[in-house]
Every structure is written in structure tokens, then in C-alpha cells.
Amino acid sequence: MQDNDFKHEHELKFWAGKVKKEKTLKGRSYYEKFYFNDFNFTHDDYAGKRILDIGCGPRGSLEWADMADFRVGLDPLINEYFKLNGGTLFHKMHYVRAYSEDMPFPDETFDFVFSINSLDHVDDLDETVSEMKRVLKVGGFCGIIVDTNHKPTPTEPITINLDLKDKFLDVFELIEERVYETAYKTGFRDNLDDPTFYDFENDEKRPAILFLKFRKAKKYEGKIDKRATADADTFNKLFKENKKLKKENGELKKELKAFKNRKVVRMVDKFK
């Protein structure tokens, strides 16, 4: 997948601003609402399961999922997130640095696949949808919450329409669909906590929030992966890669801290 430097630069600028303001990017309680309240799943539903969050960002979107067998956040900027000093480096969840259009997982790896406020950030929507169909197990669940009908922005270059569900129905069974007005400009979460349902009688094309919940009804034949099922070697490799990234960035943080300490000592000596 070709790097989108312009988009990535703006993504990192956004999160760097959040780190500066909040000091640490803790988001466990924020994300729990999506996975439990909005999608109406319980801890028992997730127990012993494999969960994927596409476009996870650096906040620890799956830190709550201690009961899961395996919890993965996928994002092409993972290594850069580790360097933000927002806490990502120390999260329990597993991060994978990859694009949604080409996920490094075998067919039917996950029991749950989620994309929360991320599908309009991808480079190729159709390829991402194809990969979501491929990596979810038959009988597994897919959950999507996304902004629609908005003008393209540096970090959200894709305009998603309200007919997004049609791209999934060849493989997925639609369980629930909801559409909300963007009544609050203060944040994505506020519009879900105090929802105003979309007025379809109003013909004006305007931004909206789309909620979709699917179950995978049959095997996806559109893209064949010779690694037909997930195996231990695949996940061990991912763990090792993630551990290497964390180690590299941990060493970088130590060097940066040592540099800052030396600088402070020099400043103190200067004023003695």
C-alpha cells in the first residue's frame, strides 16, 4: 500500500496535540461504551474470542478486553504512535502496523471485527471492505460506526454514503442499522450518547453517523488466501514484531530522557 504522507502527517499532528493537552492517551472507559452499549455485547460474548479493531489509533481501544483470547488493533501509524509518549507503548492489547487494505492475517481469523470512526480514513474503501469480509469467521460479528456524507478532509479523504451496507450484503447478514444526525459538534461520542435519529424526509444531503451491525453468514470467496486458517505461528510472529517495535521505541524514549536530563544538568551548571 502506497504511503499517504500528507494524510499521515495530519493524523499524527492531531494525536500529538491530544498528547500535549491530555498528557496521556487513556481511552478505556471511552471505548467500552462502543463495544458494550452501542453494539449490545456482553463480557461473556467476548470471552475467549479474537477481536480486531481497524484503524485503532493510539488510545488503547481494546484495553478493556482482558477476557478475550486475542485482541488486535490495526493501524499503519503504530510505530509513530509508540513515539508519541501517550501511553500506547505500555498497553496490554496487541498492535499491528499494517494497512486495512492488506491485513497480515489468514482467512477467518477473528470472531469480531470492528471499525469505529475509521472507514472514512482508509485509502481504498472497497479493498478494506474485502479484507473485513475475509478475516472474519463465518458466524462472527462485524460492527461499524462511521461519519457519512461529509466533505473530504486531510485525515478523512473518503466520503461514505448511507448505502454503505450494500457493500457487505453478499457475505454478511445485516442485524441492525441506525442513522443519526450530527446534532452535536463537540464530538463523535456525544451524538451517540444523546442521539437524534436521521430525518429521511429531509432531502438535504448533510453529515450523519451510520451504525451497522452484521453477522458473517457465509465464506467469502472474493479473495483467496492460501493460509486458510489462523495458526499459532502467525500470531507468534505478530507478537515478536510488536515486541521488537516496543523495544526499539522504549530504547528511543530512554535516549530522549537521558538527553533531556543532560540538558537540564547543563542548564543548572550554567547558573551556578
Side-chain angles (χ1 to χ4, degrees):
M1 180 57 57
Q2 180 177 332
D3 283 337
N4 187 332
D5 293 337
F6 182 72
K7 181 175 69 172
H8 290 176
E9 178 185 349
H10 282 77
E11 293 275 10
L12 289 171
K13 185 177 180 180
F14 170 82
W15 287 116
K18 288 289 186 182
V19 172
K20 185 176 181 180
K21 181 179 178 181
E22 302 174 17
K23 306 306 179 186
T24 182
L25 295 172
K26 292 182 179 179
R28 176 177 178 132
S29 60
Y30 174 82
Y31 284 106
E32 279 183 311
K33 287 186 177 181
F34 292 106
Y35 294 100
F36 293 99
N37 298 20
D38 295 320
F39 289 110
N40 196 29
F41 289 121
T42 67
H43 283 77
D44 288 342
D45 291 323
Y46 293 119
K49 302 298 185 181
R50 289 176 170 175
I51 309 170
L52 173 66
D53 179 23
I54 297 169
C56 60
R59 280 191 183 276
S61 60
L62 297 176
E63 284 296 278
W64 54 269
D66 296 323
M67 75 296 294
D69 174 51
F70 198 74
R71 43 181 163 166
V72 177
L74 181 139
D75 199 297
L77 295 176
I78 291 303
N79 204 21
E80 288 74 16
Y81 291 154
F82 283 157
K83 298 174 185 177
L84 282 178
N85 203 30
T88 307
L89 191 63
F90 307 103
H91 289 162
K92 297 176 185 176
M93 63 181 282
H94 184 64
Y95 286 102
V96 172
R97 185 186 188 189
Y99 287 91
S100 59
E101 294 86 355
D102 187 19
M103 300 187 202
F105 310 117
D107 297 350
E108 303 198 17
T109 296
F110 296 97
D111 302 282
F112 293 89
V113 170
F114 293 100
S115 171
I116 298 174
N117 197 21
S118 65
L119 272 189
D120 50 346
H121 292 250
V122 304
D123 292 331
D124 189 309
L125 179 60
D126 288 335
E127 283 295 307
T128 297
V129 170
S130 175
E131 284 289 83
M132 292 171 75
K133 295 174 185 176
R134 183 181 68 80
V135 301
L136 183 64
K137 294 179 181 178
V138 173
F141 294 93
C142 174
I144 298 168
I145 306 177
V146 65
D147 287 312
T148 64
N149 292 344
H150 64 70
K151 294 180 180 179
T153 70
T155 58
E156 299 173 336
I158 292 180
T159 300
I160 292 179
N161 299 319
L162 290 176
D163 61 359
L164 175 65
K165 67 176 181 297
D166 295 342
K167 294 181 178 291
F168 293 88
L169 295 179
D170 58 328
V171 175
F172 290 177
E173 169 194 4
L174 181 65
I175 296 175
E176 187 176 4
E177 177 182 22
R178 301 196 299 267
V179 185
Y180 303 123
E181 300 278 2
T182 52
Y184 296 97
K185 306 300 180 184
T186 51
F188 191 76
R189 184 68 248 175
D190 290 337
N191 287 287
L192 299 177
D193 289 338
D194 185 20
T196 300
F197 286 96
Y198 193 77
D199 181 8
F200 285 94
E201 293 184 0
N202 181 349
D203 294 333
E204 176 190 2
K205 188 173 182 179
R206 60 201 184 279
I209 296 174
L210 177 63
F211 170 99
L212 296 170
K213 182 177 178 180
F214 298 102
R215 186 185 67 85
K216 186 172 179 180
K218 61 181 180 180
K219 186 175 177 62
Y220 179 51
E221 303 293 347
K223 197 171 183 179
I224 298 175
D225 185 342
K226 293 181 180 179
R227 304 163 299 170
T229 58
D231 55 64
D233 289 341
T234 299
F235 289 104
N236 287 336
K237 181 181 178 182
L238 292 174
F239 272 121
K240 288 178 182 178
E241 290 175 354
N242 197 51
K243 187 175 181 180
K244 182 181 177 182
L245 283 174
K246 286 192 174 186
K247 182 179 179 181
E248 290 174 354
N249 286 285
E251 291 172 351
L252 180 66
K253 286 180 183 296
K254 288 180 182 177
E255 291 175 8
L256 182 60
K257 185 177 181 180
F259 172 78
K260 288 181 178 178
N261 289 339
R262 288 195 298 271
K263 187 175 180 181
V264 169
V265 170
R266 288 197 298 269
M267 290 294 290
V268 171
D269 291 340
K270 182 179 178 180
F271 290 101
K272 280 184 177 179

